[in-house]
Amino acid sequence: MAEPDIWNSLVTKVKTKYVYIGRNVIKFTWHDRLERLVREINNLEASVVASSYRTLQSGVWSNGCEQSKLYNYILEYRSGYKTSKEECLVCHHVHGPFVTLTHLLQQTPFKSQISSTSSFAIWFLQLKKKHKKIVSCADAMAFLIDESQEKTTKKDWLDLAQSLKVEFIRMNKQLMELDCEEWSTSCSKLSRSKGFAVSWCCKRELSTAIQFTMSLCMKHHLVCQLNAGTSLGAIKVNNVLPWETVDADILLHPDNITAFEKLESTITQNGYRYNTVKFGYYHIHTAHWTVEVFADSLQTPASAGVTPTRIEFDGQLLETVINPGLFGRNMYGSEMYQHAQHWRGMKADRSNIWEYFHNAQKKFSQCPEPGHHACLDQFEADGNLEFAKPSA
């Protein structure tokens, strides 16, 4: 039986108002101060009151208090506290043993048949979402087995990642990235719905196709540049825009049309589907996305007497227009660094996209699943920090 199931089974037998969850406790001493924990659960109107802890043999002490943030397919933990009261630290997640209300644990049991790391993390996230108070009173101290402080592994967090659709987990300086297959989804319909941020896994499918196409152009000395919304994504977030829905845009110099058409077999041999829409207009298809390559007049770096301008795009430097900032301002108009929902989802007139972006209300659409961590409307329609890819 998994650890969460054992705790759930034991709690059904509890008759008292409070229950003590003594995870990894090796021995009880007067330092546990259970009366202090029970007293503060009333004084502070808290749902969970934890103690600090130290390992029995190595003697490492910690208050066990962490702050958590779940957003945009990212779960972050940071050791520390922002506020305190009655010498207790206000937390989102605690690592030490704790006292909680019996009825709370009976109504919101630990998620069963999954790893203990994932189950306890999900439980504390549920309490945070319900605005329950969690504190650590560090003058109470438990003795834990030394093995309890070993670093967790990706396997420990996989159940949580699959349950909550999380792709990155950061624990202070440790960063885990889960593969698309590991968290059991990629470009689901939900992750590309209006009002949702596109998952990192889904964006990676498109960015990889963009990078492949641009590398092909470079290898064969073709002039290709990121254009339209793809260039805007590079300018704003150095990646695919989180509210992208359908495609990417790459501009091809008209003199290179014939040479590009000769690359069809290379493209298909690399797992993509290739389609000539018309002369000078091509589609490169992934499982869920389309890269549009279209020939049109463009200013070449050579004609301007400069080297190509390259911009970071999902970890690679790709060629774009000579002055990306000016291009973005001219194409997307007033307050172009603020965010507007993709024009396709807003049923805008395709013949005048500039007018849509110039006049669009700078806000995100209502989320189809309020409270989900990928809802765009939880973010300000400005800035790029919330959309930055986590780095180690």
Side-chain angles (χ1 to χ4, degrees):
M1 185 182 292
E3 182 187 340
D5 300 84
I6 295 173
W7 286 115
N8 287 338
S9 176
L10 290 172
V11 169
T12 62
K13 298 175 173 60
V14 175
K15 304 299 181 184
T16 55
K17 184 177 180 180
Y18 310 108
V19 60
Y20 179 70
I21 306 299
R23 294 187 70 201
N24 301 310
V25 172
I26 189 66
K27 70 174 183 176
F28 282 101
T29 72
W30 67 271
H31 293 288
D32 289 279
R33 305 190 67 200
L34 294 183
E35 78 289 349
R36 158 81 156 140
L37 305 186
V38 172
R39 184 168 66 249
E40 294 306 331
I41 209 168
N42 287 299
N43 291 349
L44 299 177
E45 297 182 337
S47 295
V48 170
V49 179
S51 67
S52 65
Y53 60 87
R54 58 151 284 176
T55 50
L56 183 64
Q57 299 299 327
S58 60
V60 177
W61 182 91
S62 173
N63 61 42
C65 184
E66 289 185 335
Q67 307 303 312
S68 65
K69 184 177 180 182
L70 177 60
Y71 70 105
N72 195 23
Y73 306 96
I74 302 166
L75 176 58
E76 292 182 344
Y77 289 101
R78 185 179 180 185
S79 296
Y81 66 99
K82 291 182 178 180
T83 59
S84 63
K85 191 170 183 180
E86 297 190 8
E87 299 79 54
C88 296
L89 316 176
V90 179
C91 317
H92 294 153
H93 185 108
V94 290
H95 286 282
F98 59 87
V99 170
T100 187
L101 300 164
T102 302
H103 72 83
L104 174 64
L105 198 46
Q106 290 173 343
Q107 292 170 358
T108 309
F110 299 117
K111 192 172 178 65
S112 63
Q113 297 182 333
I114 64 173
S115 73
S116 58
T117 298
S118 290
S119 185
F120 276 83
I122 290 171
W123 190 72
F124 281 114
L125 287 169
Q126 289 175 321
L127 296 193
K128 180 186 175 184
K129 193 171 184 178
K130 294 176 180 178
H131 306 289
K132 302 293 185 181
K133 184 179 287 186
I134 302 165
V135 301
S136 172
C137 300
D139 52 285
M141 183 182 75
F143 286 85
L144 306 188
I145 59 174
D146 284 57
E147 290 78 8
S148 65
Q149 300 310 298
E150 293 177 354
K151 278 190 175 181
T152 53
T153 65
K154 187 183 289 188
K155 182 179 178 181
D156 297 317
W157 291 94
L158 191 57
D159 294 316
L160 177 144
Q162 293 176 347
S163 177
L164 301 182
K165 306 306 178 190
V166 169
E167 296 182 67
F168 293 92
I169 299 173
R170 181 191 295 282
M171 294 157 288
N172 295 311
K173 295 181 180 180
Q174 183 184 4
L175 178 67
M176 292 183 186
E177 180 176 359
L178 291 104
D179 297 334
C180 303
E181 295 77 15
E182 288 178 315
W183 71 287
S184 301
T185 186
S186 54
C187 286
S188 65
K189 186 177 180 181
L190 181 66
S191 74
R192 297 171 70 195
S193 301
K194 183 172 69 173
F196 261 101
V198 181
S199 72
W200 295 95
C201 192
C202 191
K203 287 190 293 184
R204 194 176 307 119
E205 181 184 316
L206 179 55
S207 68
T208 299
I210 294 168
Q211 291 168 346
F212 167 77
T213 305
M214 294 297 290
S215 67
L216 209 56
C217 290
M218 180 178 289
K219 180 179 180 181
H220 294 275
H221 308 290
L222 312 182
V223 179
C224 295
Q225 296 177 349
L226 302 183
N227 195 260
T230 306
S231 181
L232 184 65
I235 294 167
K236 284 188 172 187
V237 297
N238 300 117
N239 208 320
V240 176
L241 287 170
W243 43 93
E244 182 58 73
T245 59
V246 178
D247 57 22
D249 305 283
I250 293 177
L251 193 60
L252 172 70
H253 194 284
D255 291 349
N256 297 148
I257 290 176
T258 301
F260 185 83
E261 289 183 339
K262 293 179 180 178
L263 300 176
E264 178 179 354
S265 61
T266 302
I267 293 169
T268 56
Q269 286 169 9
N270 279 272
Y272 298 102
R273 290 182 291 113
Y274 178 93
N275 177 39
T276 300
V277 181
K278 62 181 181 180
F279 182 73
Y281 182 31
Y282 314 96
H283 283 174
I284 298 173
H285 300 282
T286 72
H288 302 95
W289 297 101
T290 299
V291 177
E292 292 189 344
V293 181
F294 53 97
D296 204 348
S297 59
L298 56 84
Q299 185 180 24
T300 65
S303 67
V306 297
T307 57
T309 297
R310 299 188 298 159
I311 191 169
E312 183 181 344
F313 190 87
D314 197 14
Q316 291 189 16
L317 293 173
L318 304 182
E319 184 173 345
T320 186
V321 294
I322 292 175
N323 186 337
L326 183 60
F327 165 83
R329 189 178 182 193
N330 287 340
M331 183 168 187
Y332 293 100
S334 176
E335 301 295 354
M336 54 84 67
Y337 287 102
Q338 295 179 19
H339 310 313
Q341 202 74 47
H342 196 285
W343 64 270
R344 290 182 190 272
M346 305 306 289
K347 299 180 180 178
D349 180 6
R350 183 168 187 169
S351 64
N352 199 346
I353 302 303
W354 185 90
E355 183 178 350
Y356 165 74
F357 282 107
H358 188 76
N359 298 312
Q361 194 171 8
K362 299 301 191 289
K363 72 173 189 178
F364 294 117
S365 301
Q366 184 177 355
C367 186
E369 192 177 316
H372 193 281
H373 60 77
C375 288
L376 286 169
D377 60 8
Q378 69 180 307
F379 304 116
E380 292 289 334
D382 202 353
N384 64 4
L385 297 179
E386 297 286 6
F387 303 114
K389 186 175 182 179
S391 57

